Amino acid sequence: MLQETIDVKFLRQVSIFGGLNEEDLFKIVNIGSRKNYPKGSVIVMEAEIGAAMFTIISGKVKVVRSDGEGREVILSILSESDVFGELSLLDGHARSASVITTTPTDVFVIHRQDFMHLLHEYPSISIALLSELALRLRKADAQIKNLSLKGAEERVASVVLQLAEEVGRVKHGRVVIDDLPVQQDLANMAGTSRETFSRMLHTFINQGEVTQQGNTLIINDYEAFSNLHK
């Protein structure tokens, strides 16, 4: 049974399911399935018709869009308890971005028909989903502002803060960002060249604002860094 592999306590941590009682959460566990993807797998392909919604049980994924020349821009990094793929289920249009695993990743999958039934049966899910979509819209607006109005230093700092918010963890008063995307991906997120991103990041390191240890970035004082680079 799926109850043995997916604890309802996990679903309670997912924003759109958090308002349901345990009995209802067990119902949702029973209509979904669990799937594992190796690192580098494409879970969702941009422009395909959506057939399912996904919730991350463990691992990390990147949400990306590509241009005609194959260049990739990362829109966000998602991790445990984050949901993706629901938008195209709601409007019936093609996927707006691809989702690719950056680590081995387990997901909980609910197919379209079951998902739409949940929205009708549990209005609280619809309300929570509206809040989630509003949050994503605000983040998208902030990204547009960063790319259009800010200089290179502020754009690089905004990417660091975005990663801290999406996948960072607090440790000893500092924010630790593990498994950084490759620097070209980070530069694409900031709308800069790789060389510019590297130079700005090293400026932050030399000023003691951040520390890099291999593939891990540490914001030494998150509040100060955030206030300085708003």
Side-chain angles (χ1 to χ4, degrees):
M1 296 292 291
L2 282 172
Q3 289 94 328
E4 297 174 354
T5 57
I6 300 176
D7 196 321
V8 294
K9 292 179 181 178
F10 165 75
L11 285 185
R12 196 172 287 118
Q13 298 171 19
V14 178
S15 60
I16 65 172
F17 300 133
L20 302 181
N21 61 39
E22 187 162 314
E23 180 181 355
D24 292 334
L25 290 174
F26 269 110
K27 291 179 183 178
I28 293 173
V29 165
N30 278 321
I31 66 172
S33 59
R34 184 171 185 160
K35 192 168 183 180
N36 174 263
Y37 291 89
K39 179 180 178 179
S41 300
V42 179
I43 301 179
V44 165
M45 177 68 74
E46 184 178 350
E48 73 179 2
I49 300 300
M53 183 196 78
F54 304 84
T55 303
I56 301 175
I57 301 171
S58 64
K60 292 180 184 177
V61 303
K62 58 181 179 179
V63 182
V64 303
R65 297 200 69 173
S66 301
D67 63 17
E69 298 178 3
R71 291 175 298 192
E72 188 180 273
V73 176
I74 298 179
L75 303 180
S76 62
I77 304 290
L78 304 179
S79 59
E80 183 177 328
S81 300
D82 285 330
V83 172
F84 63 91
E86 77 291 341
L87 189 60
S88 64
L89 301 190
L90 293 173
D91 63 14
H93 292 174
R95 302 285 195 190
S96 58
S98 297
V99 179
I100 304 170
T101 61
T102 60
T103 68
T105 301
D106 281 333
V107 294
F108 180 60
V109 186
I110 299 178
H111 290 284
R112 187 179 193 276
Q113 183 176 350
D114 294 321
F115 177 68
M116 299 307 291
H117 177 72
L118 287 176
L119 294 183
H120 288 287
E121 185 173 359
Y122 302 106
S124 64
I125 295 179
S126 299
I127 294 171
L129 187 57
L130 284 173
S131 296
E132 179 71 21
L133 293 176
L135 176 62
R136 293 184 188 181
L137 182 59
R138 290 182 184 276
K139 287 176 66 177
D141 286 343
Q143 285 179 304
I144 293 170
K145 179 181 177 181
N146 290 338
L147 291 174
S148 60
L149 300 179
K150 293 186 175 182
E153 180 177 332
E154 289 82 4
R155 279 185 268 167
V156 171
S158 292
V159 168
V160 173
L161 290 169
Q162 178 185 341
L163 291 173
E165 179 183 339
E166 292 176 345
V167 296
R169 56 187 176 87
V170 178
K171 183 177 181 181
H172 304 308
R174 303 183 295 174
V175 175
V176 180
I177 305 167
D178 294 313
D179 301 318
L180 280 177
V182 298
Q183 202 156 85
Q184 186 60 61
D185 285 345
L186 293 170
N188 290 343
M189 291 175 71
T192 69
S193 68
R194 186 180 61 81
E195 293 77 13
T196 297
F197 190 97
S198 178
R199 185 172 67 254
M200 292 297 99
L201 185 61
H202 277 89
T203 297
F204 300 150
I205 293 172
N206 293 335
Q207 292 172 171
E209 298 175 70
V210 302
T211 302
Q212 186 167 11
Q213 299 173 353
N215 204 32
T216 296
L217 190 69
I218 302 168
I219 304 176
N220 297 319
D221 187 331
Y222 177 82
E223 185 175 356
F225 186 82
S226 179
N227 289 335
L228 185 62
H229 297 288
K230 280 184 177 178

